[in-house]
C-alpha cells in the first residue's frame, strides 16, 4: 500500500551523501507506482458512467439508467457485477501483497516491482481490448495483483534508496502521487468521453499501460537497494551500490549500520506474536483502526463513483465527468497543503479540523439530496442545488485530503519500534485494502437501500473517529521514534498497558537500531 513501507523515521545519524541521479531515477519509478495506483482508483468511475461502456457490458444497468425518470435515482446503478468491476482490484491487491512481502525479501525489491509492472501491463491491455465482462474483471484482478506487488515493494525501495533525512517526506509524496493519478484518470475520462464511436473507454482503460511500462522497464534497469543486497548475502555488491547512489567513496558508517540493522531484523523471530504483547496494545490498536477509519470517511465513494454520483444527482454526462475533475484537483491541492503544514501544525490539529469539516459537509450533502429526491428518489436536481452540492462535496474532499488521506499513512508509520515494524505495517496496509474493497463493493447497494441516509452513515463514523483521535491518538510531531514509549507512558489511557521495564526495553531497541 502507498506509504505502507516507509519507516517515516529519519534515524539519528547524518551520513555523507548527496541527491544523485540514481536516487532521482528511483523517485521517478516510485512515482509511476503511485500514479498507476491512483489511476486505477480514478478511472473506473468515469468509465462506468459512459453509456457506450454500460450498454456493452452491463445492459441491465444501462436500461435502468436510460429510463431514469421513472426509477429511483438512488438505485439506478445498483449492480453487484458493476461494483465487482471496481472492487475486485482491491481484493486481488490484498492477497498479492502477502505474496509480494516474501518475494521482496527473498528475491529483492526489483523482482517484486518487475512482477507488479508486468501484471499491470497485461491487465491494462486485457481491459483495453475487453470483449466481455469476464475479460474486464480478469483485467482488474491482474491490475490488483500489480498494485499488491508494487505498493508493497516500491515504498520500501524508495525509503532504502533515499538519504535518511528525506525518508519522511517521501511518505506523503507517495500519497500525493496517488492523488495525481486519480486526477489524471479523471482528466482522461473527460477527454475520451468526447470521442465519437463509443470506444473512448478502451483508451481510458488501456492507457494504464504507460506507467506500467515505465515501472517494468525501470525495475530491470535500476539496481537493487543496498539493504536488500546485504539481506541476500551480497555484501560487496551492496557496498559498491551504496557508494554509487550516495555519490561519495566513503560510505563505511552507513554500510555498517545497514548490516547491523539487518542482523537485528533477522534476530526478531516472531514479529506477529510480538505485536500481540500487552505493551504494544497502543500500536496494535492504532495500526488497525486508522486505516479502517480512513476508509469509513467514505472517501472512496467519491473517488470511485464521483461521475456516477453526479449523474445520480442529475448532472449531464459531461458535467458529471467535469465535476470529477474538479474534485480530483481539490484532492491534489489539499494534499499539497497538508505536506506544507503537517510539521508546523501537527497531526492532531489536522485530524480534528478535517473531521469537523467532513462532518458538516456530509450532513449538508445528505440534507440537500433529501430535499431534492426525498425517500422515493424520483426527480432531478435544479442547477443551483447541484452547484451547491458540488461545493459541499469539494469541502469534504479538501478536508479529507489534508487530514485522513496522508495522515492515515504517516501516523501509523511513526509509532512502530523496529521489533514490530513489519507486522504493524502489514496490518495497516491490509486493513486499508480490505475496507477499500468492502466499501467499493457495498456502496451502490448501500445508496439504493439507505438513500440520502448513506451520507449520515459516514458522517456518524466521522464523529466516532474524530473522538477517537481526540482521546486516543497522541501528537507524534517531532517525536523521535525511540521516544514514543515515553509518549504512551504519559498518556491518560495507554499508560496502563506499560510497565517501567517496557519503557527501558523500548529505548534499548531503538538505541541499538540508530
Ligand atoms: O486520495 C484518495 C485516496 O487515498 C486513499 O485513501 C489512499 O490513501 C485511497 O483509498 C483514496 O482513494
Amino acid at each position: 500500500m502507498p506509504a505502507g513501507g516507509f519507516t517515516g523515521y529519519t534515524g539519528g545519524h547524518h551520513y555523507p551523501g548527496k541527491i544523485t541521479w540514481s536516487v532521482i531515477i528511483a523517485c521517478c519509478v516510485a512515482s509511476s507506482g503511485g500514479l498507476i495506483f491512483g489511476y486505477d482508483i480514478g478511472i473506473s468511475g468515469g468509465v462506468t458512467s459512459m453509456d457506450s461502456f454500460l450498454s456493452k457490458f452491463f445492459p441491465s444497468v444501462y436500461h435502468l439508467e436510460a429510463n431514469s425518470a421513472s426509477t429511483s435515482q438512488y438505485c439506478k446503478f445498483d449492480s453487484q457485477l458493476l461494483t465487482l468491476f471496481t472492487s475486485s482490484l482491491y481484493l486481488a491487491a490484498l492477497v498479492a501483497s502477502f505474496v509480494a512481502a516474501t518475494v521482496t525479501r527473498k528475491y529483492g525489491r526489483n523482482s517484486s516491482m518487475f512482477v507488479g509492472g508486468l501484471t499491470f501491463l497485461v491487465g491494462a491491455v486485457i481491459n483495453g481490448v475487453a470483449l466481455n465482462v469476464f475479460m474486464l474483471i480478469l483485467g482488474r484482478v491482474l491490475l490488483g495483483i500489480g498494485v499488491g506487488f508494487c505498493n508493497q515493494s516500491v515504498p520500501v525501495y524508495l525509503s532504502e534508496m533515499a538519504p535518511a533525512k528525506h525518508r519522511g517526506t517521501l511518505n506523503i509524496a507517495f500519497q500525493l502521487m496517488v492523488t495525481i493519478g486519480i486526477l489524471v484518470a479523471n482528466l482522461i475520462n473527460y477527454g475520451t468521453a468526447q470521442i465519437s464511436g463509443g470506444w473512448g473507454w478502451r483508451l481510458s482503460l488501456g492507457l494504464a499501460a504507460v506507467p506500467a511500462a515505465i515501472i517494468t522497464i525501470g525495475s530491470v534497469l535500476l539496481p537493487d537497494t543496498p539493504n536488500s543486497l546485504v539481506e541476500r548475502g551480497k555484501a560487496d555488491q551492496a557496498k559498491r551500490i551504496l557508494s554509487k547512489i550516495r555519490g561519495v567513496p566513503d560510505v563505511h558508517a552507513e554500510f555498517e549500520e545497514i548490516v547491523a540493522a539487518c542482523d537485528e531484523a533477522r534476530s526478531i523471530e516472531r514479529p506477529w506474536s510480538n505485536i500481540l504483547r500487552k505493551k504494544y496494545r497502543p500500536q496494535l490498536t492504532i495500526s488497525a483502526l486508522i486505516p479502517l477509519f480512513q476508509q469509513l470517511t467514505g472517501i472512496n465513494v467519491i473517488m470511485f463513483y464521483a461521475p456516477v454520483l453526479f449523474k445520480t444527482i442529475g448532472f449531464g454526462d459531461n458535467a458529471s465527468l467535469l465535476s470529477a475533475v474538479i474534485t480530483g484537483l481539490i484532492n491534489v491541492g489539499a494534499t499539497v497543503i497538508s505536506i506544507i503544514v503537517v510539521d508546523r501544525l501537527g497531526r492532531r490539529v489536522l485530524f480534528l479540523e478535517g473531521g469537523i469539516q467532513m462532518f458538516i459537509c456530509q450532513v449538508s450533502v445528505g440534507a440537500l439530496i433529501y430535499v431534492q429526491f426525498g425517500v422515493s428518489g424520483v426527480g432531478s436536481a435544479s442547477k443551483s442545488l447541484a452547484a451547491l452540492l458540488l461545493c459541499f462535496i469539494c469541502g469534504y474532499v479538501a478536508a479529507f485530503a489534508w487530514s485522513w488521506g496522508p495522515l492515515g499513512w504517516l501516523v501509523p508509520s511513526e509509532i512502530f519500534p523496529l521489533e514490530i515494524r513489519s507486522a504493524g505495517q502489514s496490518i495497516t496496509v491490509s486493513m486499508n485494502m480490505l475496507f477499500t474493497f468492502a466499501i467499493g463493493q457495498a456502496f451502490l447497494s448501500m445508496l439504493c437501500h439507505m438513500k440520502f441516509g448513506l451520507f449520515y452513515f459516514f458522517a456518524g463514523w466521522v464523529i466516532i473517529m474524530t473522538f477517537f483521535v481526540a482521546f486516543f491518538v497522541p501528537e507524534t510531531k517531532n517525536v523521535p521514534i525511540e521516544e514514543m514509549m515515553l509518549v504512551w507512558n504519559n498518556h491518560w489511557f495507554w499508560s496502563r498497558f506499560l510497565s517501567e521495564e517496557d519503557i527501558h526495553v523500548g529505548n534499548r531497541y531503538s538505541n541499538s537500531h540508530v
Side-chain angles (χ1 to χ4, degrees), residues 59-211:
S60 60
V61 181
Y62 175 69
H63 291 308
L64 262 188
E65 195 226 350
N67 302 326
S68 63
S70 56
T71 31
S72 164
Q73 297 290 335
Y74 298 124
C75 296
K76 61 185 184 179
F77 287 99
D78 182 21
S79 148
Q80 289 297 311
L81 202 59
L82 185 66
T83 45
L84 194 62
F85 166 66
T86 298
S87 62
S88 52
L89 188 152
Y90 302 92
L91 201 55
L94 175 64
V95 177
S97 62
F98 289 112
V99 182
T102 312
V103 176
T104 304
R105 187 163 36 85
K106 282 203 177 145
Y107 304 101
R109 291 31 170 166
N110 302 42
S111 308
S112 279
M113 283 171 8
F114 181 74
V115 176
L118 208 60
T119 23
F120 261 143
L121 204 58
V122 180
V125 172
I126 293 184
N127 265 346
V129 301
L131 300 173
N132 48 42
V133 176
F134 173 75
M135 284 178 82
L136 273 185
I137 294 184
L138 176 69
R140 283 296 275 184
V141 168
L142 289 175
L143 288 174
I145 296 175
V147 167
F149 271 86
C150 287
N151 283 355
Q152 203 280 332
S153 54
V154 169
V156 179
Y157 183 85
L158 257 180
S159 67
E160 291 174 349
M161 291 299 263
K165 64 172 185 268
H166 295 294
R167 279 175 205 158
T169 317
L170 286 174
N171 187 312
I172 300 194
F174 198 94
Q175 172 72 9
L176 179 64
M177 291 315 298
V178 173
T179 61
I180 293 176
I182 297 175
L183 175 63
V184 170
N186 289 329
L187 280 167
I188 287 181
N189 276 337
Y190 183 62
T192 59
Q194 322 297 326
I195 296 176
S196 58
W199 58 272
W201 60 268
R202 291 194 186 276
L203 201 56
S204 290
L205 296 179
L207 274 175
V210 175

Side-chain angles (χ1 to χ4, degrees), residues 1-3 37-38 41-42 90 175 178-179 182 294-295 297 299-300 303-304 331 335 397 400-401 404-406 408-409 432 436:
M1 192 64 226
F37 182 48
I41 292 172
Y90 302 92
Q175 172 72 9
V178 173
T179 61
I182 297 175
Q294 192 209 47
Q295 290 306 312
T297 56
I299 188 64
N300 278 325
M303 294 303 137
F304 292 164
N331 193 20
T335 306
V397 170
F400 172 86
W404 282 87
W409 300 109
N432 196 293
T436 305

Side-chain angles (χ1 to χ4, degrees), residues 156-445:
V156 179
Y157 183 85
L158 257 180
S159 67
E160 291 174 349
M161 291 299 263
K165 64 172 185 268
H166 295 294
R167 279 175 205 158
T169 317
L170 286 174
N171 187 312
I172 300 194
F174 198 94
Q175 172 72 9
L176 179 64
M177 291 315 298
V178 173
T179 61
I180 293 176
I182 297 175
L183 175 63
V184 170
N186 289 329
L187 280 167
I188 287 181
N189 276 337
Y190 183 62
T192 59
Q194 322 297 326
I195 296 176
S196 58
W199 58 272
W201 60 268
R202 291 194 186 276
L203 201 56
S204 290
L205 296 179
L207 274 175
V210 175
I214 297 177
I215 201 158
T216 312
I217 297 169
S219 67
V220 176
L221 300 180
L222 291 172
D224 204 351
T225 67
N227 312 54
S228 171
L229 291 166
V230 168
E231 201 173 34
R232 292 185 291 134
K234 301 180 180 174
D236 288 345
Q237 201 183 340
K239 205 164 187 177
R240 257 201 331 273
I241 301 267
L242 186 62
S243 140
K244 186 169 163 232
I245 60 178
R246 295 288 173 260
V248 289
D250 183 13
V251 287
H252 187 72
E254 187 176 357
F255 182 73
E256 287 305 314
E257 191 200 295
I258 293 177
V259 173
C262 197
D263 288 346
E264 191 166 342
R266 274 201 200 108
S267 71
I268 299 168
E269 274 163 12
R270 300 192 323 219
W272 289 100
S273 55
N274 265 335
I275 203 168
L276 295 178
R277 284 155 75 182
K278 190 174 171 203
K279 63 173 175 173
Y280 293 132
R281 213 47 56 79
Q283 288 92 336
L284 179 65
T285 314
I286 291 183
S287 67
L289 285 186
I290 290 222
L292 167 70
F293 284 149
Q294 192 209 47
Q295 290 306 312
L296 283 174
T297 56
I299 188 64
N300 278 325
V301 165
I302 308 291
M303 294 303 137
F304 292 164
Y305 298 114
V308 172
L309 190 70
F310 289 126
K311 260 184 122 167
T312 302
I313 295 170
F315 283 29
D317 290 3
N318 267 347
S320 299
L321 289 167
L322 193 61
S323 307
V325 172
I326 296 174
T327 53
L329 268 172
I330 304 258
N331 193 20
V332 175
T335 306
V336 173
I337 293 178
S338 186
I339 294 178
I340 297 170
V341 301
V342 72
D343 283 328
R344 243 174 293 156
L345 297 181
R347 286 73 173 134
R348 281 170 55 85
V349 173
L350 289 176
F351 267 135
L352 298 177
E353 192 285 333
I356 295 168
Q357 187 174 328
M358 279 194 286
F359 176 77
I360 295 172
C361 292
Q362 280 165 321
V363 169
S364 312
V365 169
L368 288 176
I369 294 186
Y370 172 69
V371 167
Q372 194 56 39
F373 299 110
V375 180
S376 67
V378 180
S380 82
S382 69
K383 272 219 161 73
S384 53
L385 190 83
L388 197 59
L389 266 170
L390 182 60
C391 287
F392 280 117
I393 290 179
C394 287
Y396 161 77
V397 170
F400 172 86
W402 59 53
S403 61
W404 282 87
L407 300 184
W409 300 109
L410 183 64
V411 170
S413 81
E414 290 177 324
I415 60 171
F416 304 124
L418 181 69
E419 198 188 10
I420 54 163
R421 192 167 298 159
S422 66
Q425 274 162 352
S426 302
I427 292 176
T428 302
V429 172
S430 39
M431 286 293 279
N432 196 293
M433 281 294 152
L434 185 63
F435 285 93
T436 305
F437 164 75
I439 295 202
Q441 185 61 29
F443 166 66
L444 291 176
S445 158

